[in-house]
Every structure is written in structure tokens, then in C-alpha cells.
Amino acid sequence: MSYTIALNFEDGVTRFIGCKEGETVLDAAYRQKVNLPMDCSDGVCGTCKGHCEQGEFDMGDEYLEEALSDEEAAEGQVLTCQMVPSTDCVLQVPVASTLCKTAVGKLEGTVAVVEPLSEDSIELAIDLDDDAELAFLPGQYIHIDVPGTEEHRSYSFSSRPGASRATFLIRNVPHGLMSGYLSDQAKPGERLTLTGPMGSFYLREITRPVLMLAGGTGLAPFLSMLEQLAEQGCEAPVHLIYGVNKDDHLVKTEALDALRERLPTFSYATVVVDEDSDHPRKGYVTHHMDAEVLHDGDVDVYLCGPPPMVDAVLKHFDEQGIAPQSFHYEKFTPNQAPGEAA
């Protein structure tokens, strides 16, 4: 038996390691050449302290309270030298990855599909090499090198973790470096280099209703999250509000319909800003957050979109006195992808 442990470092890098049954996270990390902070490895100093966001584990009782207090343990703090997982876990490590002598991973793949979905968006599919191990948390992003340049652009996965074909929704930016490559040059079979995964915007364990708010190509990370939920099953209500500027900017609705079939607790609504639109719901996502999807604040909110949308939602929550149980958001500029911090 082996468990997958996602180590999220404070510089945004995520590294996945395998942890054998009965093995501590610290020992598993060192075995895989990830030098997590430690001084004693005996539960005495507290140097290896982190925060477990997800998963089950045993801490035993062979550590000092000076290293980890009962209050800290109740809040999910752990000592990696004592933590023995009994499920897959997600662990926050409060140092940069470089200090742990690890680095973000590099992968190779080939262009499989480049499909214009609208004037505003392009879908890119990359077939990963057979030996590539692409693990990520649904919602995270990865850097993609732009061929023929020294630059990269960052995009959130729209595919589920573990898939051999990675997909991305990419905003078609006029004269954009990646947009230009995809529109004018990219051909199936061309080689691409990817670096990652990265980002703190990802799906947490679901214990209450979820509200997802997407703007434009900010839909991408939610497609990944919903794919994961459809595969695992989810009993809590999950509602998505997907807003765009124009009617023809609405893309991947057939994928959302298919997800709704596979995930009975999922529902979604689309919203169009354009006043000349015949769409039944016009305006902004904040105009369509009814009380029934807010659950009196007993809701986890995930938000991904351009800065004006994110700022508007934050202002709306503040003005309405809405305080979700948890709130995770990411905003991006035209030269950044959903999933890359602005």
C-alpha cells in the first residue's frame, strides 16, 4: 500500500511523493530526495511542522507539546517526522521549494489538438510522453514554453489529474505570444515543454455546498475540478455560475452538460454581459448569486476570472455581509492564465 502526498511549498511549487504504509512523511520525502525542514526527527524541535489540508493520518503520541500543542494539532498542524498517512494527503510546507533542494518538475509532450472555440478562446490538447508522470491538484496550473522563444505562458488544466492528454482553455489575446503561435504555427506532433504543477488555487475536500464562479477562460480549472468530482462522486450541491462578455464566448457548455449527467448534485448557469444579447441571464455573476446557492454562508466559494470580476465579487460579498466558510480565488491578466497569480 502506498499513498500520494502533495507537498505544497510557499513559493507555489507542488511536489508529489509516494509514502509507504507505516512510513512517516519526512522519511518518504527524504527517500525521494525532497529535504523537508528538520533538526531532530524525533518530535522534539518542531522544525518539521506543516499543515495538513486534506487526508487522514496518525501522529502517535511520541512528540513533545512544545513541538506541537494540542491546539495546533486540532487545527491540522502536523510534524512530518511523526505523521504517518492512512490516505492520500495534501500538506502545506511553510518554506520555499528551493530550500528543500527540490524543484518544479519538467515534462515533455506533443501538440495533439489546437481548436479555436470562439474568437476569444482556443483549446489546446497535449499528449504527454509515455513516461511522463503528470500529477496535479485540480485547479492548478503549469508553465508551457512558447516554441521559438525564451518565454513561457501559464495555463490552468481543464483536464482531470492523471489523464495522459492534458487540455487547456487559452484566451486568444490579439498579438499574444502564445496565441500567435497557436493560431498561426502550431501543428499536431510538435514538441512542447511543460513545467509544474504550481498554484494554491485547487479543490479542497468537500464537506459542504460549493459555489464556483468562472469568468471567460477562468472556466478551465473548474472543468478539471468537476471531472475529479464526477469520477470520485460528490453528495454536496455544487453550483457553477459562468460569465462571459458575448454570446459566442460561451464555450464548453456541452462538457458542462455531460458533467451534469455524471454528477447529479451539479448544476450550472451561464451569464452574458452584452446588453444586446438574447441570453436569458444578462449582466454579471454578482447579479445571479441567489440566496439558495449561498446557503447562508455555509458554502465554499471558488472564483477564477479577470481582476475586475474578482474585485467585483469581493466587493459584493463585503457589501452584502456574506462570509463564506471558505473562499479561494485567483485572478489573471491577459498575459497570465487562470491559475497564475496576478
Side-chain angles (χ1 to χ4, degrees):
M1 178 70 72
S2 179
Y3 305 108
T4 299
I5 312 300
L7 302 174
N8 292 332
F9 297 94
E10 67 174 12
D11 55 357
V13 171
T14 298
R15 174 73 188 274
F16 290 83
I17 61 170
C19 190
K20 299 175 183 177
E21 189 168 12
E23 186 177 32
T24 68
V25 170
L26 184 68
D27 286 345
Y30 271 76
R31 178 169 54 81
Q32 291 159 86
K33 298 181 173 57
V34 181
N35 295 347
L36 292 179
M38 60 86 76
D39 277 337
C40 71
S41 77
D42 295 317
V44 174
C45 68
T47 303
C48 66
K49 191 179 297 180
H51 181 262
C52 186
E53 285 198 321
Q54 217 165 285
E56 298 179 7
F57 56 89
D58 181 25
M59 281 287 292
D61 54 10
E62 297 183 4
Y63 60 89
L64 298 183
E65 187 172 356
E66 287 81 1
L68 184 73
S69 69
D70 291 342
E71 290 79 8
E72 289 175 319
E75 293 171 354
Q77 297 282 84
V78 297
L79 300 176
T80 59
C81 72
Q82 302 296 306
M83 176 186 177
V84 177
S86 54
T87 67
D88 296 345
C89 293
V90 178
L91 183 65
Q92 295 286 346
V93 182
V95 297
S97 61
T98 51
L99 297 179
C100 297
K101 297 184 179 179
T102 189
V104 65
K106 278 192 175 293
L107 300 169
E108 300 289 332
T110 58
V111 174
V113 177
V114 178
E115 181 181 0
L117 300 179
S118 72
E119 65 173 7
D120 189 56
S121 61
I122 300 168
E123 184 169 46
L124 169 65
I126 300 173
D127 284 335
L128 301 174
D129 289 356
D130 291 341
D131 60 349
E133 295 184 6
L134 179 55
F136 62 93
L137 300 172
Q140 288 190 308
Y141 67 91
I142 201 163
H143 298 321
I144 304 178
D145 290 354
V146 183
T149 77
E150 300 297 319
E151 301 288 331
H152 69 260
R153 293 294 183 262
S154 304
Y155 301 103
S156 297
F157 294 95
S158 57
S159 50
R160 64 172 177 80
S164 59
R165 174 170 288 186
T167 59
F168 307 89
L169 284 182
I170 296 175
R171 185 177 175 192
N172 191 1
V173 180
H175 311 296
L177 193 62
M178 181 62 87
S179 300
Y181 163 73
L182 293 175
S183 299
D184 303 330
Q185 302 176 42
K187 294 181 177 59
E190 291 186 348
R191 301 290 291 169
L192 292 176
T193 300
L194 301 84
T195 306
M198 307 182 81
S200 59
F201 183 73
Y202 54 83
L203 185 67
R204 272 68 175 180
E205 182 178 5
I206 293 182
T207 58
R208 60 180 63 86
V210 174
L211 174 61
M212 299 175 171
L213 305 173
T217 53
L219 177 66
F222 296 120
L223 291 172
S224 180
M225 293 179 185
L226 290 165
E227 282 286 349
Q228 181 88 339
L229 291 177
E231 187 162 306
Q232 294 179 344
C234 176
E235 296 182 358
V238 179
H239 186 67
L240 166 71
I241 306 177
Y242 168 32
V244 298
N245 290 325
K246 300 179 181 179
D247 288 338
D248 63 359
H249 291 181
L250 285 171
V251 299
K252 304 301 289 186
T253 54
E254 71 288 347
L256 294 174
D257 290 337
L259 284 162
R260 188 167 51 187
E261 291 294 320
R262 294 166 55 202
L263 186 61
T265 60
F266 170 59
S267 60
Y268 79 93
T270 53
V271 182
V272 177
V273 173
D274 186 2
E275 292 183 357
D276 295 328
S277 168
D278 292 328
H279 197 276
R281 287 172 298 277
K282 290 200 285 285
Y284 299 97
V285 296
T286 50
H287 300 154
H288 301 275
M289 288 192 291
D290 300 330
E292 62 186 79
V293 301
L294 292 171
H295 300 275
D296 294 323
D298 186 28
V299 63
D300 293 335
V301 177
Y302 293 83
L303 164 62
C304 186
M309 175 189 173
V310 174
D311 293 341
V313 172
L314 292 171
K315 181 179 179 182
H316 177 79
F317 280 174
D318 184 59
E319 291 176 347
Q320 299 299 316
I322 299 168
Q325 285 290 331
S326 73
F327 187 20
H328 311 280
Y329 68 90
E330 199 112 67
K331 54 185 174 181
F332 58 91
T333 64
N335 287 330
Q336 293 170 312
E340 183 172 21

